[in-house]
Each structure stands twice: as C-alpha cells, then as structure tokens.
Amino acid sequence: VAASWISGTAHFDEYIGPSDPPVPLFGFSSLYLLLQVSIFSTAYQFAIPGIADACRNKSSLLKISAATCAFIFVTVWVCSLVLSRFFGAQWIQPSSNLNWVTYHGGTGTIVDEGNGAITRTGVAPWAKAIAGFVTAFPAFDSLAVFPLCSISLGEILMEAWFGSETAPTNDWKKRTAFRLLGCCPQIIGAAFVSDLDVIANYAGLFTTLSYSVCPSLLSIYSVRALRKIKVSPDTAYKTPFSKDWVAWMIFTTAIVVMLFVVISSVLVESGEKTET
C-alpha cells in the first residue's frame, strides 16, 4: 500500500490510491462496526490463563497484558486508517484482505482478451506470494483457532454433563465425542451464513459476551463466594483494577455496547432492505 501510495503507480489491478474524495475520519453511522472491531481485536485474552500458568513472575502479567493491548490498539488503528484512506468506501472489501486478490505490485503486462475481458500476465513471483499470503492468512488464522475453541468448548460441555469431579478426562472416546460436539456451533453457523460482511457485523457480540460480560460476572461472584467462607480473594494476579466496581463497570459497559450494536445493526439492515 505504501509503495503504491508513494510511487503513484497501480499495485492493485488498475487502482491508484488514495481514494478521492477522502474517507471521513469519523462517522457515527459506522460506530457500531468500529466498536465490534475494537473489541474483537483484543480476543487474545483466551490465551492469558495459559501464559500466566507458565509465567514465574506473575506480578509482571499486568505490564505484559497492557503492552499487548497497546500494541494491538495501535496496529489495528494504523492499518484501519491507512487502508480506509487508500481504498476508500468504494474499493474497500468487507474483509480488507480480499483487496489483495488483484495485487501485482506494479509488475506484469495487461492483456485485452476481447469481450471486455482483461487479464494481467507476467506478474512477479514475489507479488503473487504477497497476494496469496495476505488473501489466505485470515483463513489459516481461523483454521488454527478453530480447534482451540472446539477443544475448550468440548471440555466445558463434558464437565457440565458429568460434573467437574467425575468427568471421564482419561476416556479418549468420550473426550473426542464432546470435542466433536464442540465443533457443531461453528459448522452449523457457517452453513447458514457465509457473507463476511454479515459475520463481521455480529462477530463482536459474541466476543463481548465471552471476554467482557462472563468474566466480569465470574469475578464478582467468585469474590463473593470466597468472602462468604472467609477466604481472601487476593491472589498473585491482583492488580489495582481488581476491584468490584471495576468488574461492574466492565459488565455495564459491555451490556450497553451489545445493545447499541444490536440495535444499530438491525436498523442498518432494515434500511438496506427498504432501499432494495
């Protein structure tokens, strides 16, 4: 993108950015999408327990998590700003990696095959490699995450069915059966919805529920249960933010965001159907 922007030559099909007229830096009508992307970008949180378990100095976890959040925020913000400014609302795809399908890096020759069909031949191997990597990366990334989510859900379902103390953790047949059961929600959902634009509109909702609503409620009621039996809730993971009011603030904010996203998404889709 930077090379095409600076050189003023087409690197994506025949498109030369940046877009004209420029995309506004902020639009309230798209705020619900921005909120979902922002929340979804912090989805690394599921890895924190595993990282924390192997970390000797657990008091440093706050700094590590804060640095990770800051890095993700800056990276996503910069990428979003550059891509939206370069491609604009007319050229940007619902999933921006699809813009790299026609990437050629300024190499190759245009060939008119007639009947309006135009192809590009002689594209450099390095340009094909970049186009293939960027286009396919989200699929491979999701492919790697899919079994992790299925295994986690399968373990939860098995313990919920048999009980945490009597779950047959050493019975590989039953564990496999529950892990296969954990694959079903994703497979069933993909069978009904394959539009990336629609998926992007609602992906943040489940992330908000999983990473904000449930953990905050778990924190609140875990502390209450420990205090009820007169056990200190303070652990090696304690930080200045390990307060009840912080958990309630996260819970309330998450609920408000989810309601705002749902209402905005429904109104936008209703408006689009009315126009068509």
Side-chain angles (χ1 to χ4, degrees):
V1 171
S4 179
W5 198 330
I6 295 172
S7 64
T9 58
H11 283 206
F12 298 84
D13 203 4
E14 297 309 305
Y15 176 73
I16 302 176
S19 62
D20 187 26
V23 177
L25 292 177
F26 179 80
F28 186 79
S29 60
S30 301
L31 180 60
Y32 73 102
L33 289 175
L34 178 63
L35 287 172
Q36 292 185 87
V37 172
S38 301
I39 294 170
F40 193 74
S41 66
T42 62
Y44 81 97
Q45 293 184 47
F46 74 91
I48 290 180
I51 296 173
D53 186 57
C55 185
R56 290 184 178 181
N57 184 11
K58 292 179 172 54
S59 61
S60 63
L61 290 174
L62 177 60
K63 295 180 180 179
I64 295 173
S65 299
T68 304
C69 283
F71 175 77
I72 292 174
F73 174 82
V74 173
T75 303
V76 172
W77 181 79
V78 171
C79 290
S80 302
L81 183 63
V82 171
L83 292 178
S84 61
R85 180 66 181 90
F86 183 81
F87 290 108
Q90 181 180 357
W91 290 91
I92 194 72
Q93 297 290 335
S95 182
S96 58
N97 66 297
L98 297 179
N99 282 97
W100 266 258
V101 172
T102 59
Y103 178 78
H104 52 78
T107 64
T109 305
I110 297 176
V111 177
D112 189 352
E113 298 182 352
N115 299 324
I118 298 177
T119 60
R120 180 177 288 270
T121 61
V123 176
W126 61 265
K128 292 181 179 180
I130 292 176
F133 174 78
V134 176
T135 302
F137 177 78
F140 287 113
D141 185 49
S142 300
L143 188 64
V145 174
F146 177 77
L148 295 177
C149 297
S150 300
I151 290 173
S152 299
L153 179 57
E155 297 292 328
I156 293 172
L157 291 175
M158 186 172 66
E159 290 193 5
W161 181 265
F162 292 102
S164 59
E165 296 182 358
T166 59
T169 54
N170 295 324
D171 190 333
W172 69 269
K173 291 183 179 180
K174 291 181 179 179
R175 292 187 68 179
T176 302
F178 276 95
R179 288 177 179 181
L180 290 174
L181 183 62
C183 298
C184 293
Q186 299 93 316
I187 296 174
I188 294 173
F192 286 93
V193 181
S194 59
D195 189 339
L196 289 174
D197 201 9
V198 176
I199 294 173
N201 283 351
Y202 294 98
L205 289 175
F206 297 99
T207 307
T208 306
L209 181 64
S210 302
Y211 295 166
S212 297
V213 176
C214 294
S216 58
L217 287 177
L218 181 61
S219 173
I220 292 169
Y221 285 98
S222 296
V223 170
R224 287 184 181 179
L226 290 173
R227 287 174 177 169
K228 188 175 181 180
I229 59 175
K230 297 181 180 180
V231 174
S232 174
D234 295 341
T235 67
Y237 305 101
K238 182 182 178 181
T239 72
F241 302 102
S242 303
K243 306 290 184 181
D244 285 350
W245 68 268
V246 175
W248 278 112
M249 183 181 67
I250 294 173
F251 172 77
T252 305
T253 303
I255 293 297
V256 172
V257 168
M258 290 181 67
L259 290 175
F260 175 75
V261 168
V262 170
I263 294 172
S264 299
S265 299
V266 171
L267 291 176
V268 170
E269 289 188 9
S270 300
E272 291 177 352
K273 290 181 180 179
T274 303
E275 291 178 1
T276 56

